[in-house]
């Protein structure tokens, strides 16, 4: 790809990490955000990148950031009206760019709803996991008018910078990985609020079992490997155990059950996560990612 310029719109948790990744991969990165501390944040990232890497540049506006970019990674707030308006601003300023939204659950057809066909063709979801610089997955989701060329160019690009792209055949809220995450978090909140185990032990149970297994074989392949007769036989074999587990309804995340769980999480890990805990997470994630290199 000849054009090596990427715009990052929104420089919060996800935007900052993406910008660092793109710069490390040799791209020219232009950033737009409305936050007062933007320059300080960019300076800190540039320091981390070191003298040999490309530096991240601050743009004065979204229009300025996206000028000349082949791809715009949009990492603004998770609100449909914000993303619709941002899509219009970005693609009117640069109709040639691919608009890749980091949205966690919104549908790309909704984000592109008010755009003419020729601009809607450039819109897709490119959903990372936090932090995008380290966790390889990127879920590529087409809307009803996204072009095949947009999807294949995006896939080629993310693949080339070392991410592991997954392409959905059609859009669905939450894509794949956040649908998994929701089911598991619902269950964790239930177990914690019911006092079945401590927050640390619930986390430990995941980290030391499925967390490790699923980073090597996914849930479908794992089941396929469990009995010599394969998937259908294994599911029949597991069924009596699974039938014992009564499904619990999703907790109300604004409700009492979640509040009880939140208090216990705060007791275990502090009201807000320390920078030290996040640095340690990133250190171990980096090691895991390195250990798993070569496995797709
Ligand atoms: N945090 C996660 O774990 C995670 C993971 C995957 C995807 N996402 C998605 O990524 C997106 C960003 O999430 P985040 O966690 O980084 O949020 P965040 O709140 O940390 O960052 C959002 C940024 O957008 C900026 N912004 C607001 N209005 C703007 C404007 N008009 N122009 C430019 N920038 C503007 C804010 O100042 C802020 O810095 C969301 O769509 C979210 O769903 C988040």
């Amino acid at each position: 790809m000849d054009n090596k310029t990427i715009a990052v719109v929104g420089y919060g948790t996800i935007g900052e990490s993406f910008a660092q990744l793109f710069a490390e991969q040799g791209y020219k990165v232009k950033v737009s955000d409305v936050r007062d501390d933007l320059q300080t944040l960019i300076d800190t990232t540039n320091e981390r990148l070191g003298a040999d890497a490309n530096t991240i540049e601050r743009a004065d506006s979204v229009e300025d950031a996206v000028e000349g970019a082949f791809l715009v990674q949009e990492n603004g707030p998770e609100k449909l009206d914000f993303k619709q308006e941002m899509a219009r601003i970005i693609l009117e300023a640069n109709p040639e760019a691919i608009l890749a939204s980091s949205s966690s659950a919104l549908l790309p057809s909704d984000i592109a709803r008010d755009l003419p066909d020729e601009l809607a063709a450039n819109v897709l979801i490119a959903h990372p996991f936090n932090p995008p610089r380290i966790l390889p997955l990127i879920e590529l989701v087409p809307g009803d008018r996204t072009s095949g060329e947009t999807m294949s160019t995006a896939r080629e690009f993310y693949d080339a910078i070392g991410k592991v792209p997954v392409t959905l055949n059609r859009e669905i809220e939450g894509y794949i990985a956040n649908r998994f995450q929701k089911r598991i978090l619902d269950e964790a909140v239930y177990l914690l609020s019911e006092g079945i185990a401590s927050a640390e032990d619930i986390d430990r149970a995941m980290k030391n079992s499925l967390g490790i297994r699923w980073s090597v074989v996914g849930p479908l392949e794992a089941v396929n490997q469990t009995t010599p007769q394969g998937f259908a036989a294994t599911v029949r074999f597991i069924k009596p155990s699974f039938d014992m587990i009564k499904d619990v309804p999703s907790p109300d995340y604004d409700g009492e059950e979640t509040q009880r769980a939140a208090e216990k999480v705060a007791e275990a890990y502090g009201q807000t996560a320390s920078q030290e805990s996040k640095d340690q997470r990133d250190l171990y994630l980096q090691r895991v990612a390195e250990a798993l290199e070569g496995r797709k």
Side-chain angles (χ1 to χ4, degrees):
M1 202 170 293
D2 295 338
N3 184 337
K4 299 282 270 184
T5 302
I6 298 179
V8 169
V9 174
Y11 203 69
T13 306
I14 296 301
E16 193 274 337
S17 186
F18 257 134
Q20 187 175 339
L21 169 70
F22 297 149
E24 281 165 348
Q25 291 294 321
Y27 287 85
K28 174 176 172 173
V29 182
K30 293 197 295 175
V31 169
S32 164
D33 196 307
V34 289
R35 56 195 300 163
D36 297 336
D37 57 352
L38 179 59
Q39 191 58 55
T40 314
L41 285 177
I42 290 178
D43 291 345
T44 309
T45 319
N46 280 334
E47 263 169 45
R48 258 205 309 272
L49 279 164
D52 294 341
N54 279 2
T55 47
I56 295 165
E57 286 172 29
R58 177 188 182 156
D60 290 331
S61 63
V62 173
E63 288 87 342
D64 179 19
V66 306
E67 193 193 336
F70 80 93
L71 181 126
V72 180
Q73 190 78 44
E74 178 278 307
N75 319 280
E78 183 74 349
K79 292 196 184 111
L80 180 59
D81 55 355
F82 173 89
K83 298 220 188 266
Q84 286 172 329
E85 174 64 358
M86 204 39 87
R88 186 189 63 72
I89 294 171
I90 290 167
L91 290 171
E92 280 180 3
N94 182 349
E96 304 301 317
I98 289 178
L99 169 51
S101 172
S102 295
S103 173
S104 298
L106 296 170
L107 299 181
S109 296
D110 289 341
I111 293 175
R113 194 177 59 210
D114 300 329
L115 299 175
D117 286 352
E118 65 276 16
L119 298 184
N122 299 4
V123 178
L124 81 158
I125 301 292
H127 173 245
F129 253 56
N130 186 37
R133 196 175 71 79
I134 302 175
L135 284 184
L137 179 68
I138 188 122
E139 295 178 294
L140 306 181
V141 188
D144 51 6
R145 292 181 291 159
T146 310
S147 73
E149 193 189 341
T150 295
M151 294 302 291
S152 54
T153 307
R155 188 167 174 123
E156 216 174 278
F157 161 68
Y158 291 112
D159 202 25
I161 63 167
K163 297 207 63 80
V164 176
V166 164
T167 303
L168 273 67
N169 296 324
R170 65 179 170 85
E171 59 191 343
I172 182 168
E173 295 84 352
Y175 327 129
I176 299 172
N178 268 339
R179 296 179 73 89
F180 288 153
Q181 184 162 226
K182 176 185 183 301
R183 293 280 180 128
I184 289 165
L185 189 61
D186 283 357
E187 192 63 51
V189 168
Y190 173 76
L191 293 171
L192 184 56
S193 67
E194 288 292 307
I196 304 294
S198 67
E200 291 99 325
D201 274 0
I202 291 170
D203 279 346
R204 236 172 242 132
M206 171 56 81
K207 288 191 288 190
N208 291 284
S209 62
L210 297 170
I212 297 176
R213 178 192 286 164
W214 285 346
S215 66
V216 179
V217 283
L220 301 174
E221 188 177 6
V223 167
N224 198 39
Q225 289 174 338
T226 302
T227 64
Q229 294 81 20
F231 188 87
T234 308
V235 171
R236 278 196 300 275
F237 168 74
I238 299 172
K239 188 177 179 314
S241 307
F242 278 10
D243 281 348
M244 303 277 299
I245 303 168
K246 306 276 173 288
D247 279 340
V248 291
S250 289
D252 171 2
Y253 283 178
D254 290 319
E256 258 177 49
E257 191 183 8
T258 309
Q259 186 52 38
R260 271 202 306 279
E263 282 161 16
K264 293 181 181 183
V265 171
E267 259 171 51
Y269 301 118
Q271 186 65 38
T272 55
S274 65
Q275 189 54 44
E276 193 190 352
S277 74
K278 289 194 257 185
D279 289 346
Q280 191 169 55
R281 171 202 66 192
D282 289 356
L283 175 73
Y284 279 102
L285 285 178
Q286 187 76 52
R287 286 189 195 159
V288 171
E290 280 163 17
L292 293 171
E293 230 169 61
R295 166 238 47 151
K296 289 233 161 177

